[in-house]
Every structure is written in C-alpha cells, then in structure tokens.
Amino acid sequence: MNLPYTQPTILVVDDTPDNIDLLCAVLENDYRTKIAVNGERALKIANGQARPDLILLDIMMPGMSGYEVCQALKANPATRDIPVIFVTAMSEVADEQLGLSLGAVDYITKPISAPIVLARIKTQLAMKRVHDFLRDQNQFLESEVELRVREIAALQDVTIHAMASLAETRDSETGNHIRRTSHYLKALAEKLRGHPRFAAFLTEKNIELLFKSAPLHDIGKIGIPDRILLKPGRFEAHEMEIMKTHTTLGRDAILAAERELGIEVDFLKYAKEIAYGHQEKWDGSGYPLGLAGDAIPISARLMAVADVYDALISRRVYKESMTHAEAVAIIAEGRGTHFDADMVDAFMAIQDEFIDIARRYADSELDIDKKRQRLELFIQ
C-alpha cells in the first residue's frame, strides 16, 4: 500500500513583504509554505513540531542576520539537517563563500529566476530524501547491532552462570559463593584501577570482563571425584594432588570451549587465567605452576584474595565460618607471601564493602540445608 503524497514544506524567511509574496507565488503549486519576517521567528518555526523540509533564507534582516540564523540552525542537532538556501541581494563571491561555509547548501542571488529557484529546491529536497533515508537506515542498523550485542552479552552471562552452577552442584559451596567472589573481585579491581601498577590493565571494560569471568574460577571441580571433592575432613597428600588438578581441568575446559568457537574471546581469556592461576601464591609456593610475583596474572591475583576471604568467612556444609576479623588477620598475614601486597592493602581499605557484599549475598539456613541434601545424593 502506497502512502499518500505530502507536499514538502518550505520556510521562507525575509523581512520584505514583496520578496515573500514573490517566493510564495513561485512555490504555491508544488509546496506548502511557512513565513517568517525575522531570524528569531524563523528559529522558532524551525524548532517546532512540524519542521520545514527546506529553508529559503535572506541575509540582510534587522536583528539576527541570515548568517546568524544559519549558524544557529546548524549548531542545533534538531535542525542541522534542514537544507538552507540563501536568497539574497548580496552578490559578491565572498558573500556566497561565507554562506556556504556556514552550512548552506546553495546560494541564489536576487532578482530571482522562478525556474532556477524551483530547480535548486527540487535538487536539494531530492538530496535530503536520500540523506534522511540513509540516516534512518543507519539508525536502524545501529539499533539492530545494539540489540544483537545485548543478546550476545546476555547469552555469555547465561552460559557462564550455567557452567558455574553446574560445578557448584557438586561442591560444598553454595551458589552465593559465586556471587560474592565476583563482587569482591570487582570491588577490589575498582579500588586498584588508579594504582600505577594496575591502571593500564584495570580499565572499565576489563573490570566488567573480570566480573563476568569470575564465576568460572572453580569450573574444574566438575572433574574431581566425589570421594575427594566432598570429603569432610583433611585431604591425604595424594588426595590433595588430585584436588589441585581442578585448576588445570578448568583451564582445559575453557580452552576446549574456545576451540569450538574458533576464535579467542576476551571474557574466556580472563576466565582461563582465573581458573588456572587463582591458587598461585605471590612467593611461588602455590599451584599448578608455582608462579611468583607479577608472573601471576592480575586477574588470578585478584581472585585469590576474593576466594580466600569468602572461604574463610562462609559457612559450609562441613564447617563453620570465621569472623570477618579472623579472616582479615589471615589475609594480612599473607601479605607479600600468599597475596600481592598492594592488593592486600586495597582489601584492607575497603573492608566495609566486603562486609556489605557478604551480608547482601549471605547463605541462609535453607541454602545450607538444600546443599547438604544435594551432597548426600552424591555421597550415597
């Protein structure tokens, strides 16, 4: 179904009634017209709800000159795309050059020729239609791209949390552990983003990627046998060696997913670093590689603080929690040995944020009971 044709609207701006009458007579068969006898009125009409499709603008007017009106139109996002044609008695080349430099699309000198005026208007309106079409298409494409980006981001988030939740079903930790550690890591990263050692890495984008990647830090526990993973007491030496492999299993699982995609994805890169390196220690006594100092990825160092703090202050099915003060003392003791000293200092500075996160995502008695019941199914 074709839409009915609507005549374009031309705004005629001139302070001389005879000039207005002449231009309106030229336009009356093909266009609707609006009239303004000064610059201020022209701007008001141009900014109204029914904006003109094109403006014929005189230069020499009392108050605002045509040049000033054109400048104001082009400076306003709402009116800058309306084509402006100067219609003036100022016939010097310098005058025309100035008018075009201010954003006018054409320059007609008086006395006018009706056929030339109509031809110039027709050309500019045709160009405006093309411009409007391309602008609308670009806006549509931009909105579609934005929608797809949001969908992909949502899919990534759902995938990460589904994988992390799958690992959590086989562990003594609750799903809130995943939430807490992600928020601890983000708070710590935001505190450190201005630090000279970390500023280049801890950009807003990377902090968001770290936050999204953090839930996968223990994904490798899926591959640990139940008799070890769910053991309530201390591990034997050989059991501990098996338990340590969860870092490598996690890294390898994410690598496999990346290979399936066929491309390297930023959030999976950090997920690999966190899964593989969050048990490394600053002094080199951690695992799986025994990395030391800055050789440990920043992402893994951040997660180490977040993960240890939460392990200390959280109740588990088979253990009671420590107090915040006790956990702080242990982390402080690990400054420069287990943990990056600057990260411990940052942690000390934002303890209240950690306490708030722990309270916000605390495990309820119901959470603990559900986890106990679920683990009993695995143990039987």
Side-chain angles (χ1 to χ4, degrees), residues 14 19 57-60 86-92 95 107-112:
D14 200 304
N19 291 337
L57 180 59
D58 188 23
I59 294 176
M60 294 183 294
F86 280 119
V87 181
T88 176
M90 297 174 66
S91 58
E92 296 294 328
D95 298 325
Y107 194 98
I108 300 173
T109 57
K110 298 173 182 177
I112 65 167

Side-chain angles (χ1 to χ4, degrees), residues 21-324:
D21 290 342
L22 177 59
L23 284 169
C24 287
V26 170
L27 301 171
E28 65 182 356
N29 291 329
D30 301 299
Y31 305 105
R32 293 182 295 178
T33 56
K34 292 184 177 183
I35 296 168
V37 295
N38 56 56
E40 292 80 0
R41 178 62 182 165
L43 292 177
K44 186 173 182 180
I45 293 173
N47 280 284
Q49 288 188 337
R51 294 191 179 95
D53 297 289
L54 184 142
I55 299 173
L56 299 178
L57 180 59
D58 188 23
I59 294 176
M60 294 183 294
M61 296 184 294
M64 293 183 74
S65 72
Y67 291 145
E68 291 172 320
V69 173
C70 187
Q71 283 180 307
L73 289 167
K74 297 306 171 184
N76 185 348
T79 58
R80 66 187 174 198
D81 292 330
I82 302 173
V84 174
I85 298 177
F86 280 119
V87 181
T88 176
M90 297 174 66
S91 58
E92 296 294 328
V93 172
D95 298 325
E96 182 175 352
Q97 187 176 24
L98 175 58
L100 295 175
S101 70
L102 293 174
V105 295
D106 207 343
Y107 194 98
I108 300 173
T109 57
K110 298 173 182 177
I112 65 167
S113 165
I116 289 177
V117 170
L118 290 172
R120 300 273 184 94
I121 290 173
K122 183 178 180 180
T123 298
Q124 295 303 330
L125 288 176
M127 292 178 66
K128 183 178 184 295
R129 283 193 293 272
V130 172
H131 178 272
D132 290 346
F133 173 78
L134 292 175
R135 183 193 60 213
D136 292 344
Q137 284 293 101
N138 286 339
Q139 289 175 346
F140 172 75
L141 291 173
E142 286 171 4
S143 65
E144 284 295 297
V145 169
E146 185 180 347
L147 176 62
R148 296 294 177 261
V149 168
R150 287 201 303 268
E151 287 176 346
I152 291 170
L155 181 60
Q156 288 179 354
D157 292 346
V158 168
T159 302
I160 288 173
H161 281 279
M163 293 172 67
S165 297
L166 180 62
E168 176 262 320
T169 60
R170 300 193 55 256
D171 198 349
S172 62
E173 295 165 343
T174 68
N176 281 338
H177 168 72
I178 294 169
R179 297 182 184 90
R180 288 191 298 267
T181 51
S182 297
H183 283 281
Y184 295 148
L185 183 150
K186 186 175 184 179
L188 198 56
E190 288 177 342
K191 176 64 178 176
L192 288 164
R193 67 182 304 175
H195 193 291
R197 289 181 59 212
F198 308 109
F201 174 72
L202 292 178
T203 62
E204 184 176 350
K205 178 185 176 183
N206 279 352
I207 290 174
E208 188 61 26
L209 288 172
L210 291 172
F211 176 71
K212 291 185 175 185
S213 304
L216 294 178
H217 67 281
D218 276 340
I219 187 68
K221 287 184 178 180
I222 292 176
I224 303 301
D226 292 343
R227 60 184 173 80
I228 295 173
L229 185 65
L230 305 180
K231 184 178 179 179
R234 282 184 168 275
F235 293 130
E236 300 293 333
H238 72 283
E239 293 173 331
M240 187 61 198
E241 291 306 309
I242 294 172
M243 186 65 189
K244 286 180 179 180
T245 64
H246 82 275
T247 55
T248 304
L249 291 169
R251 188 272 316 266
D252 291 348
I254 298 167
L255 270 175
E258 200 170 44
R259 280 195 295 268
E260 286 295 317
L261 285 174
I263 57 173
E264 189 171 285
V265 183
D266 284 344
F267 85 93
L268 288 181
K269 173 187 175 183
Y270 297 133
K272 283 184 297 184
E273 289 180 355
I274 289 171
Y276 196 45
H278 71 284
Q279 295 292 348
E280 300 285 4
K281 296 182 179 180
W282 185 255
D283 62 4
S285 64
Y287 64 87
L289 298 178
L291 299 177
D294 288 327
I296 306 168
I298 292 172
S299 57
R301 280 179 264 161
L302 290 167
M303 178 51 73
V305 176
D307 195 36
V308 169
Y309 175 77
D310 198 66
L312 294 172
I313 61 104
S314 300
R315 286 184 59 196
R316 295 287 184 266
V317 173
Y318 301 118
K319 83 168 187 70
E320 291 301 316
S321 62
M322 285 187 181
T323 66
H324 170 75

